[in-house]
Amino acid sequence: GNLGSGGSFGSSSDPQEEQEYEEETSVPTTSPVATTKKAPTTAPSVLAPTILTDTLASLLPEGQSEQLQQLLSDPNSPHYAALQELLNDESLDLNDPSSSPLNLLRIQQKFALAALWHSSPNYWADNDDWMSDKDLCEWNGIACGASFASSIDSTPPLDDLALPEVDPPVTQQGVRRRRTRTLVAEDDPLYPHTILQIDLHGMAMSGALPEQVLPMLPALQSLVLYGNALEGPLPSDLYTLVNLKHLELDNNMFTGVISEDIQNLVNLESFYISENNFSGEIPSEMGACTKLTNLWLHDNSFQGTVPSTFGNLVNLEKLYLNGNDVTGSLPEEMGELSNLETLHIHNTQINELPSTFTNLKSLS
């Protein structure tokens, strides 16, 4: 079918409208190509201290803990390479990892970032800070505590914050909303040191996201990896990051399905997974993510029908389903989505719109 374009249900015949849409969209700039192979990490002359491996494993649930123990002893794993990074860091108290809450936090966070770094076979673009002696919160793409760029819409207005504007990145689907910096609570003494955002978009990352790594960053609220060459299925423990608000994985080469565990991400506001190779059905459990305002599923290989639970996404403003193999009618429950402004369903096999869509006054 060719239903829906730019929020309307038929192809636009207004040249001015088409021109405005073309101006709003553009093809993303090509990510920098990184071809330099990383030097292999030198194995230590003695086995890694058992206390450190035990401490790292203890931070995960029992099943994952055993898997991590095995990965930490595998010289070919990014987890092993990350362990060596810890062993070479003289600023950490490795003999007593729990000597202070801050020491333990630094150990688990550096392990996570180092494993992420070593999971990519090539150097990233703009990687000078990574694996340096700088504080983790000063590494490129990392934001902690009060420096966290958490909000997509500026409240209060940007001028009131007296902070410089950041040009919003442009994607094929349109212009992303501008990011602004907002302050977060500082009553927890660890908060200024806690990683809340990883933004590595367009960094020429490749390879697969490793398992048993992301749970080391339980406070993470924003994971932005769009515009890379990441592949493989999403790690199953991604869905344990219950504090995530912004998950932006579009324009990569991810495969597999979206797990029903997506229902755990109840704080998710933006979920961008377009322009990948995801398949299977759109899980009905996604309807539990009731804070979603932006949902980009376009240009994948999703099949089946749009779940009726999408009617629960009462805050949804933009929904892109185009470029998938979804079929049938949109669920009548979606007629209650009073905030929906944009709906793209062209290049799908959706062949019917329910009569309830006449209620959607914001949809132009």
Side-chain angles (χ1 to χ4, degrees), residues 289-305:
C289 305
T290 56
K291 294 183 180 180
L292 275 173
T293 59
N294 291 274
L295 181 55
W296 292 13
L297 305 178
H298 59 278
D299 296 319
N300 280 289
S301 297
F302 289 118
Q303 299 175 335
T305 57

Side-chain angles (χ1 to χ4, degrees), residues 37-45 74-88 114-115 117-120 123 131:
K37 196 74 174 180
K38 288 179 184 171
T41 303
T42 304
S45 58
D74 179 2
N76 296 316
S77 73
H79 309 73
Y80 180 91
L83 186 63
Q84 313 317 311
E85 297 283 0
L86 291 179
L87 293 172
N88 292 324
W117 165 261
H118 284 287
S119 68
S120 182
Y123 279 115
M131 299 305 112

